[in-house]
Amino acid sequence: MTAASLTPAAATRLVREVAWALAYAHGRGVVHRDVKPDNILLETSSGRALVTDFGIARHDSENEITDPGKIMGTAHFMSPEQASSQPLDGRSDLYSLGIVAFLALSGRLPFDAQSVPGLLAKHLSEPAPPLATVVSGVPRQLAGVVDRCLLKAPADRYPTGEA
């Protein structure tokens, strides 16, 4: 998937299929922790989205932080709670999926900075720009889904990928 390579219809399908795959993992207590375009494959024959690379995933029974002081994941796609080494649940993956969708629809990331600490600070403190202010032609409902996924507080995001 390249930046801004998806139509709203294709992005809707991608977000739905990835959200369902994440809901399946979350339902089994697994948080991916590295949802990003490189870990989403699009099957050539069907266009179906497949979530890959569960290499740093955690089961919710493993409630301790992997390594205090070490952040696991990809900074551009990291949720605020992940950026601050807080406990994670599936809503963290939905934040990351929101960034993937934002990128797919607008051709840019919602946050960027000169350094990783600066980028993580933006994830923690700055609201994401509403998708509709960055790109035109995205259906209002789809833009609303992306915007909700990018809310700072996990409780304000969708409770599950199925939702």
Side-chain angles (χ1 to χ4, degrees), residues 68-85:
K70 182 175 182 182
I71 297 173
M72 302 289 289
T74 304
H76 278 103
F77 298 90
M78 198 172 285
S79 70
E81 58 274 21
Q82 190 173 2
S84 59
S85 296

Side-chain angles (χ1 to χ4, degrees), residues 18-134:
V18 172
W20 287 343
L22 292 171
Y24 182 86
H26 300 157
R28 280 137 190 86
V30 175
V31 179
H32 190 283
R33 300 195 313 169
D34 200 21
V35 176
K36 61 185 179 181
D38 289 350
N39 291 337
I40 300 169
L41 302 179
L42 299 179
E43 188 176 59
T44 303
S45 61
S46 68
R48 182 175 58 142
L50 305 167
V51 179
T52 64
D53 193 357
F54 282 77
I56 65 168
R58 293 288 283 190
H59 192 274
D60 61 11
S61 66
E62 303 170 307
N63 54 13
E64 73 280 352
I65 301 298
T66 302
D67 182 1
K70 182 175 182 182
I71 297 173
M72 302 289 289
T74 304
H76 278 103
F77 298 90
M78 198 172 285
S79 70
E81 58 274 21
Q82 190 173 2
S84 59
S85 296
Q86 298 300 309
L88 306 178
D89 62 24
R91 297 169 297 180
S92 176
D93 286 343
L94 297 181
Y95 181 93
S96 300
L97 178 56
I99 294 175
V100 170
F102 191 101
L103 175 62
L105 289 160
S106 72
R108 60 168 273 215
L109 293 162
F111 303 107
D112 204 5
Q114 295 294 323
S115 67
V116 170
L119 180 59
L120 297 180
K122 287 184 177 189
H123 281 294
L124 288 165
S125 63
E126 291 184 17
L131 182 60
T133 66
V134 176

Side-chain angles (χ1 to χ4, degrees), residues 4-26:
S5 64
L6 299 181
T7 64
T12 298
R13 180 177 176 183
L14 171 91
V15 169
R16 181 184 308 121
E17 291 177 358
V18 172
W20 287 343
L22 292 171
Y24 182 86
H26 300 157

